[in-house]
Amino acid sequence: MAGVVPAPPGAPAARPGVAAWLVLAVLCFVYVLNFLDRQLLSILAKPIQDELGISDGQLGRIGGLYFAMFYCILAIPVGWLADRANRVRVLAFACALWSAATAACGLAANYPQLVLARMTVGVGEAGGVPPSYAIISDYFPSGTRGTALGLFNLGPPIGQALGVAFGASIAAAYSWRLAFVWVGVIGMVTAVGVWAFVREPKKGGLDQPADSGDAAAALEPRPGLGQTCRAFFANPVLRGMALACGATQFVTYGMINFTVLLLMREKGMSLEDVALWYALVIGLGTMSGMVLSGRLIDRLARRSRTAYAYLPAVGLMLALPLFVAFVWVDSWRLALLFLLLPTGLNYFYLSPAVTLVQEDVRPNQRVLSGALLLLVMNLIGLGLGPTWLGAASDFFRASHPHNSLQMAFYTLIPFYVLAIALFLWLARSIRRQALQEANP
């Protein structure tokens, strides 16, 4: 899977123009809405459970497996289409669809209706992130993409923080249903703005082919779906990165979907406190992690490509003991203090992963390759993480009726260890690939 020439070590990166930064800001806002829509369910879990009478296991499936089945699998044909079509229009249509489905969540009268609405949100969000990755990579030259993608990846923490603050405030003052409807309407208006004002960039316009062979390849017909999939999964580095990120997301998505419920039900936090203090922790912690990891990977990867693996591994090693302390303490105030650093360190994987994939594939394979990365990451992490944690909480309910979620959170510790091991294994694969390229 031929890529492009990255900036040589020590070379200054080309400076993107004002238009690139404006487009990045718009796409980041769309990503904020993407994640805000996705996280409203977990933020408003307790009032939804109280009204609709659903269990932790049902909540885990609707936020995990049911959502991921559509979100992950449909990302592949959407990515294939976007590599051949106008990526901006694909993104705008997807934003309109998931926003309308989010509004429909607020109208659900029972669990099956809520499941159907959440599945439709997954269908729409399948067309959100992969086209955005590719658009950004064609607005920002190599050497600046890590920073740009790191800033773009502020979407999840901002979306989660706004979701906590906005969703919890609206639910406390009015109703959880109104929060879904308002967010959906904002998203549909944003979709119209993306369609009208964001210009489609030239695919690969800022890349230089690695050699004359790649230059000739740029003139060949676009690679098919099967060809790109085979090339992605045959590459041990890309395959290893996807698996390591999947193990990491098993932890992060499990936490995202149940932390608010843990804080409220077992640590005594109120919905008003969630709207203020948990929103601050999520916003400050995760945003700092996203920005810092993007800046670090742009600098460290110029010295050695193993930084793509070692940076996430170190972040997870530092996060693990703090995560255990967060789960163990009874006070929600102490819990939030211990949670602050892990919310950033847990996301040290995302900017390195996206940057590595976008750098290692051809420009006309970027959307689909990004979708393949998300397929593996999200099927494992989003699909199984919340599902596992909800089922574990139901399992512990009989023996630990007052702290079943706390016991379930402890079961995430082995997955932390697994993710660290996979990133260390990935570093070996990167070194091995570099030696093979140096000595063909």
Side-chain angles (χ1 to χ4, degrees), residues 184-211:
V185 171
I186 293 170
M188 287 185 278
V189 173
T190 301
V192 175
V194 171
W195 184 290
F197 298 113
V198 177
R199 293 182 58 187
E200 171 77 359
K202 179 182 177 182
K203 294 176 182 176
L206 298 179
D207 295 321
Q208 281 194 309
D211 51 38

Side-chain angles (χ1 to χ4, degrees), residues 307-318:
Y308 288 116
Y310 282 132
L311 183 61
V314 170
L316 293 172
M317 289 177 189
L318 295 174

Side-chain angles (χ1 to χ4, degrees), residues 400-425:
H400 297 79
H402 302 298
N403 65 332
S404 61
L405 258 181
Q406 181 187 44
M407 299 304 298
F409 265 71
Y410 282 129
T411 68
L412 294 178
I413 294 173
F415 296 98
Y416 258 111
V417 176
L418 175 62
I420 293 168
L422 287 172
F423 277 117
L424 295 177
W425 182 265

Side-chain angles (χ1 to χ4, degrees), residues 78-79 109 164 232 238 290 294 305 322 352 390:
V78 169
V164 172
F232 183 95
L238 300 183
M290 292 291 189
R305 282 169 53 84
L322 295 169

Side-chain angles (χ1 to χ4, degrees), residues 51 82 91 102 123 127 134 138 163 171 206-207 230 233 272 290 310 336 367 407 414 430-431 436 438:
E51 181 171 337
L91 175 63
T102 297
V123 172
D138 283 331
L206 298 179
D207 295 321
R230 286 191 298 270
F233 289 110
E272 291 82 2
M290 292 291 189
Y310 282 132
L336 288 183
V367 180
M407 299 304 298
I430 292 173
R431 283 197 300 269
Q436 290 173 350

